[in-house]
Amino acid sequence: MILTVVGNSGSFPGPDSPASCYLVTGEDENGRTWRIVLDMGNGALGALQRHVDLHTIDAIMLSHLHPDHCVDVGGLHVAVKWDPRGWQGERIPLYGPSMLHTYLNQLHMLPAEHSMDTEFDFHVWQTGVPVTVGPFTVTPYAVNHPCPEPFALRVEHRGPHGTEVLTYSGDTDSCEELVAAARDADLFLCEAAYEDGREDHLRGIHLTGGRAGETAAEAGVRRLLLTHLPVWNDPRVAESDAAGAYDGPVSVARAGASYVVADPTGRSVDALARPGGEG
């Protein structure tokens, strides 16, 4: 399983990265490559096309309905509906909170009775209930963030090397559900939007590097990859704070980079140079 960081900027796009968007690819037992997208924040749709043909996306899975995690789904709707060449794929399975369809209608200033079912195959997350797309099983966990129905996503891939686990935190502060979602994960892709010592008084919104490290340690993850840092955060500080609470490998996600989620040789997560191609 390969994780490609399409965008990692927290809260809004930065000069070098879109907001949150992650492409996950993996093969099934027949050698067919499957592609799922976790979140599509501001600016993500353009950058995503550097890594994958939009027609080959097998599913989009949204952690919650804040614009920096989902607003570019609105642009994808336009791409599917209005391409004069015709859309070459099937309806795209779209997983998210229960208000997703209403959100997209309001985004486009469409009447409530309008349906996007001709472009998207809508699915509503149910806490703790897994869904399967090809070789991927994804389980949503309700987490601690001030919006309706925020989720962390545990992605399990059944591939040639057995089962690999990637956990994506979405947006959240510390909570037991996040620990459960990350339990024994090969790679924990975790937000660190706040800085220790600067925003300690803000709780129930985001993690700091230190709290991300504490969660990683409690969950027993193999590797920690920090993401969702806003432009005013120093990545070196976030990494240092996380490393103070977690003694495994820790680094900060780089936009445009790809990572091996679980390497059978036991090596650390490798950032792969992928100047083009499909991620």
Side-chain angles (χ1 to χ4, degrees), residues 108-131:
H108 288 276
M109 300 296 290
L110 297 171
E113 63 273 15
H114 178 270
S115 175
M116 294 188 182
D117 288 344
T118 53
E119 292 76 49
F120 297 125
D121 181 13
F122 286 90
H123 300 269
V124 175
W125 291 128
Q126 302 294 325
T127 300
V129 178
V131 300

Side-chain angles (χ1 to χ4, degrees), residues 223-243:
R223 301 173 179 92
L224 173 61
L225 188 63
L226 301 175
T227 192
H228 199 269
L229 276 65
V231 296
W232 47 72
N233 279 21
D234 185 337
R236 296 168 298 181
V237 172
E239 185 175 332
S240 176
D241 289 342

